[in-house]
Amino acid sequence: MGLKSWWRRSRGAAQEPAYVVPPAPTEQDIRAALNQVYAMLTDNNAPPVVISRVQRIARTINQTLPRLSQLGLGSEESYSVVATATDYLPEALQSYLRLPRDWADTRPIDGPKTALLILVEALELLGVTMDQILDAANRADAQALIAHSRFLDAKFGHSSSGGPDLTLGAP
């Protein structure tokens, strides 16, 4: 306890509030963030090349959301999905959309690259990353299916005959 807080308490001053950690975003919060991204694109008349890439990213995020628990809620992959929807994607778009459209789409700003090309590359990277995370989440289910199938085969199967005998046989 610091001297300052001791002094305040001894003088009857109210205690400093403890730091409160905000709750993790819910699926609903993440979908709301994606809806805000769509509104931003619509309001600013974003080019079709940007809209199509954002739609791909959003579609993959929406497919991944129900599977986040399989990745582990505190995992790097789960964090990346949430951060992409709520931070990385909106920030990239805002930076681009604040620029005058003609200037952003035609003026080289990083070597030969225009702001539009830089944004498209960033969106491609986010899209590939979200695809990889969705694959990882699905792979977990696929591995569980394989393991269960092998268990059933070991328990009930007749692997040497090429498959189980599904006939009833003689009474």
Side-chain angles (χ1 to χ4, degrees):
M1 162 170 50
L3 183 59
K4 190 176 184 180
S5 61
W6 175 84
W7 180 254
R8 284 185 182 172
R9 255 198 357 250
S10 68
R11 307 241 335 157
Q15 270 190 302
E16 295 178 27
Y19 180 74
V20 178
V21 177
T26 64
E27 282 188 36
Q28 203 170 27
D29 297 332
I30 295 166
R31 286 194 172 94
L34 291 174
N35 287 338
Q36 289 176 342
V37 165
Y38 281 130
M40 187 186 331
L41 293 174
T42 304
D43 293 347
N44 291 286
N45 200 21
V49 68
V50 171
I51 293 171
S52 66
R53 281 162 176 80
V54 170
Q55 287 173 333
R56 170 188 168 206
I57 294 165
R59 184 173 45 253
T60 306
I61 288 171
N62 280 316
Q63 291 170 344
T64 307
L65 285 177
R67 303 182 168 292
L68 282 185
S69 62
Q70 290 155 331
L71 294 169
L73 294 177
S75 71
E76 185 178 338
E77 291 86 0
S78 291
Y79 176 81
S80 293
V81 170
V82 173
T84 296
T86 61
D87 185 29
Y88 305 153
L89 185 58
E91 179 63 31
L93 291 170
Q94 287 170 352
S95 296
Y96 167 78
L97 293 171
R98 281 192 299 261
L99 297 170
R101 191 68 44 244
D102 185 48
W103 190 91
D105 296 352
T106 60
R107 177 87 39 111
I109 61 169
D110 185 17
K113 296 179 183 178
T114 63
L116 176 60
L117 184 55
I118 292 169
L119 175 64
V120 167
E121 288 176 350
L123 294 175
E124 281 297 315
L125 179 59
L126 288 174
V128 167
T129 303
M130 291 301 101
D131 287 343
Q132 291 170 344
I133 291 172
L134 177 60
D135 286 347
N138 288 333
R139 214 172 298 115
D141 278 343
Q143 290 300 322
L145 176 63
I146 291 168
H148 188 67
S149 176
R150 288 181 181 158
F151 161 78
L152 292 175
D153 188 46
K155 181 89 172 158
F156 304 112
H158 305 282
S159 298
S160 60
S161 66
D165 181 11
L166 299 178
T167 62
L168 293 176

